[in-house]
Amino acid sequence: MDKLSIKADLYMGQGAMDRLTEWRNKRIFIVTDPFIVKSGMINMVFDRLHSSNEQYIFSNIVPDPPVEIVTEGVEALSSFNTDLIIAIGGGSAIDAAKAMKLFAQKLLNQRDIPFVAIPTTSGTGSEVTSFSVISDKQKNIKYPLVSNDMLPQEAILDPELTKSVPDFITADTGMDVLTHAIESYVSTKANDISDALAEKAIKLVFAYLPRAFKDGNDLEAREKMHNASCLAGMAFNITSLGLNHGIAHVAGAKFKIAHGRMNAILLPHVIEFNADYKPGYGKEESNRAAVRYAEISKILGLPSPNAKSGVRSLVQAIKQLQKQLNMPQTLRECGVDQAMLEDMRDSIAEGALKDGCTATNPRVPTAGDVAEILNKMFQF
């Protein structure tokens, strides 16, 4: 028996930020990053909040938020006597706010504080998931947290907030959306509901990510990518993810490569690894992952007369999309040299196998499998 819960109320489309005008007499703890404050984007929140509210801005968020920042936020949240949390920013701000909410509740016995997530990038889907990724900078490790206590009660998806996102970040975050959706679709926990969400997200990414990359002011493309990110987040919140994210969490931290970019470099190689496994009698049809990848090809209208051809078509389509987005396709292009790879390969493999996302991968990997994937990623 599966249990599905989609708890967040979604406010979508242009003008969705006007939802903020409805709050009254709240002590609002706002979690964001320095750019949102310095750029003036934070005024899109302040201009809508009623004068009866009091606000505290916690803007110390950095990419891959470390444990120390989360601890600092928990203390500030508690001291302010918060009764509403608003996180505005990319995945780092939302993930940090989720961790703050969780630890305040578990460690300081805070009551369950209402939480509103406002993403300014179209990538993580964090506004609708029970996942948060926190970093240990000393050990160069990312820790995925999972708890329904972190789920936002509301998500505001306003494409106006994403117009200023640079093209390279649009590419990185957009490929993160695609990875979420594809990993959800082949997850061992996939079901009809998650499939529907993932399929739509995949179609939207291929149709609208190149447009959003080319023209940041294309509000239709921005809105569709915001929706795709949310759909993919809902999908993997049901199914979890796979080896792609298992490796990316560790390798991204060690090589200092943006999460979405790392996922994108990994994606063709992980697909080929998962699709190559043929259990049972070795028949192509016995490989569930290959069949599922081929179904994605059919959804996208790609040549897919059989599973093997469908997998090949999907991999080629992903590589073509990466080229359209001017993205690197190897670790070497990201500044990783041979010595660095050899020095970190074993520890990355060990960490990837321990990562919670890897547990729902359709093929059970070994450390040797991960090492081979890393070798292929270096110079393919």
Side-chain angles (χ1 to χ4, degrees), residues 45 67 97 150 160 212 262 311 351:
V45 174
V67 174
M150 296 190 297
E160 195 74 32
M262 178 60 75
V311 171

Side-chain angles (χ1 to χ4, degrees), residues 72-137:
E72 184 182 337
V74 170
E75 293 172 352
L77 185 154
S78 179
S79 298
F80 183 62
N81 195 25
T82 303
D83 54 19
L84 174 64
I85 300 170
I86 293 178
I88 177 169
S92 294
I94 297 174
D95 276 10
K98 290 161 86 170
M100 292 173 195
K101 171 181 163 67
L102 177 67
F103 293 141
Q105 189 172 335
K106 298 296 185 183
L107 302 180
L108 302 180
N109 296 315
Q110 291 273 355
R111 59 187 174 81
D112 187 14
I113 304 170
F115 178 22
V116 180
I118 309 174
T120 59
T121 60
S122 304
T124 65
S126 187
E127 69 274 7
V128 289
T129 75
S130 53
F131 292 80
S132 173
V133 180
I134 302 302
S135 299
D136 184 327
K137 299 293 186 181

Side-chain angles (χ1 to χ4, degrees), residues 157-378:
L157 308 177
D158 194 324
E160 195 74 32
L161 295 170
T162 67
K163 286 169 59 178
S164 63
V165 176
D167 57 0
F168 70 95
I169 295 180
T170 297
D172 288 348
T173 54
M175 290 303 292
D176 196 19
V177 175
L178 183 63
T179 307
H180 289 156
I182 290 177
E183 287 211 287
S184 171
Y185 197 76
V186 301
S187 166
T188 56
K189 291 186 177 180
N191 57 45
D192 290 341
I193 307 301
S194 62
D195 284 356
L197 297 166
E199 287 172 15
K200 185 63 175 180
I202 291 167
K203 291 175 69 174
L204 289 174
V205 170
F206 274 95
Y208 291 99
L209 180 54
R211 281 177 51 179
F213 174 80
K214 185 177 180 181
D215 180 7
N217 291 312
D218 184 340
L219 267 181
E220 181 186 20
R222 290 295 197 185
E223 182 172 345
K224 295 295 187 181
M225 282 305 301
H226 232 23
N227 293 345
S229 177
C230 185
L231 287 165
M234 290 188 209
F236 84 76
N237 201 50
I238 296 169
T239 64
S240 190
L241 293 162
L243 180 62
N244 212 112
H245 272 77
I247 297 175
H249 287 148
V250 188
K254 290 188 179 296
F255 293 143
K256 304 295 189 293
I257 298 173
H259 177 67
R261 183 166 300 189
M262 178 60 75
N263 270 326
I265 297 170
L266 274 161
L267 190 54
H269 304 291
V270 172
I271 289 174
E272 289 174 343
F273 167 75
N274 286 336
D276 188 52
Y277 181 51
K278 296 178 176 61
Y281 297 102
K283 295 180 180 179
E284 185 176 29
E285 290 75 17
S286 69
N287 184 355
R288 174 184 174 274
V291 172
R292 298 285 280 173
Y293 289 130
E295 287 174 2
I296 295 174
S297 286
K298 291 177 183 177
I299 290 165
L300 294 172
L302 303 173
S304 186
N306 54 53
K308 186 175 181 180
S309 297
V311 171
R312 188 183 305 118
S313 293
L314 178 60
V315 169
Q316 290 304 314
I318 291 168
K319 290 180 179 179
Q320 184 58 41
L321 180 59
Q322 289 173 307
K323 290 178 181 178
Q324 285 181 271
L325 303 174
N326 296 329
M327 297 188 75
Q329 293 183 281
T330 67
L331 290 175
R332 184 189 288 273
E333 291 176 81
C334 295
V336 178
D337 60 33
Q338 186 74 48
M340 190 185 306
L341 175 64
E342 291 180 0
D343 183 53
M344 297 184 177
R345 185 167 45 211
D346 290 346
S347 61
I348 291 172
E350 181 182 356
L353 296 183
K354 292 178 180 177
D355 190 283
C357 293
T358 303
T360 45
N361 194 66
R363 178 179 175 185
V364 179
T366 65
D369 294 328
V370 176
E372 184 176 351
I373 289 171
L374 290 168
N375 290 337
K376 290 180 178 178
M377 291 169 63
F378 178 68

Side-chain angles (χ1 to χ4, degrees), residues 55-75:
Q55 297 93 39
Y56 181 106
I57 304 175
F58 186 91
S59 60
N60 297 353
I61 302 303
V62 296
D64 303 320
V67 174
E68 293 81 3
I69 294 292
V70 173
T71 301
E72 184 182 337
V74 170
E75 293 172 352

